[in-house]
């Protein structure tokens, strides 16, 4: 039900109407519910939430919570959500997010390693000084990964 409403909100936003009162519901949906509902919440947040909005902090905490999850689908959802954030959201989040992503580059699952390297690359392309904070050594170490998908992401 809530994810269907998010689709309608995206449509209303594309028509030019103000949907700012619904931002909190998008963030709440991204933080709770089933995996599909959370995915819809992250999508709505990435499309609707302005980069300098106050709710960006709550969205950041939700993503960091997903990145700390031991469950593989939650972890991948957090990685995809972090990669889909706008550069304005990532500017304040980049050092904290990089700190959480560096250990994920050596995760047991190759899908997680590939997505972690893609997000590390995106963060470092936005802020070049992050390469010197350990990202370069992690990316170079991933070039010798046994999985060819991880090597191509590095």
């Amino acid at each position: 039900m809530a994810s269907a409403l998010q689709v309608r909100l995206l449509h209303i936003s594309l028509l030019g109407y103000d949907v700012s009162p619904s931002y909190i519901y998008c963030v709440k949906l991204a933080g709770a519910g089933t995996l599909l509902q959370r995915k819809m919440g992250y999508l709505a947040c990435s499309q609707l939430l302005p980069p300098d909005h106050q709710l960006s902090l709550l969205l950041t905490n939700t993503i960091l919570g997903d990145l700390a999850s031991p469950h593989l689908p939650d972890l991948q959802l957090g990685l995809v959500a972090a990669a889909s954030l706008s550069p304005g959201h990532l500017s304040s989040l980049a050092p904290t997010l990089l700190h959480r992503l560096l250990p994920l580059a050596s995760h047991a699952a190759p899908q997680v390693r590939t997505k972690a390297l893609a997000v590390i690359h995106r963060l470092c392309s936005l802020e070049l000084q992050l390469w010197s904070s350990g990202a370069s050594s992690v990316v170079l170490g991933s070039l010798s990964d046994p999985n060819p998908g991880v090597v191509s992401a590095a």
Side-chain angles (χ1 to χ4, degrees), residues 42-43 46-47 59 63-64 67 75-90 93 97 101 112 114-123 125-126:
Y42 279 132
L43 174 68
S46 68
Q47 296 298 314
L59 183 64
I63 290 173
L64 291 176
L67 291 179
L75 188 58
Q76 289 182 337
L77 181 63
L79 287 168
V80 170
S84 67
L85 286 177
S86 68
H89 286 115
L90 288 177
L93 175 65
L97 191 57
L101 288 172
V112 173
T114 304
K115 289 178 183 176
L117 286 170
V119 178
I120 288 171
H121 180 268
R122 178 147 192 254
L123 288 175
S125 67
L126 292 174

Side-chain angles (χ1 to χ4, degrees), residues 34-110:
T34 65
L35 193 64
L36 181 61
Q37 289 174 339
R38 291 178 32 218
K39 192 181 287 190
M40 285 300 300
Y42 279 132
L43 174 68
C45 287
S46 68
Q47 296 298 314
L48 297 176
L49 198 64
D52 57 348
H53 200 270
Q54 298 169 344
L55 292 175
S56 296
L57 182 62
L58 290 175
L59 183 64
T60 301
N61 289 337
T62 304
I63 290 173
L64 291 176
D66 282 341
L67 291 179
S69 174
H71 304 294
L72 193 61
D74 294 337
L75 188 58
Q76 289 182 337
L77 181 63
L79 287 168
V80 170
S84 67
L85 286 177
S86 68
H89 286 115
L90 288 177
S91 63
S92 62
L93 175 65
T96 306
L97 191 57
L98 185 69
H99 178 70
R100 292 274 178 103
L101 288 172
L102 292 179
L104 291 178
S106 61
H107 194 270

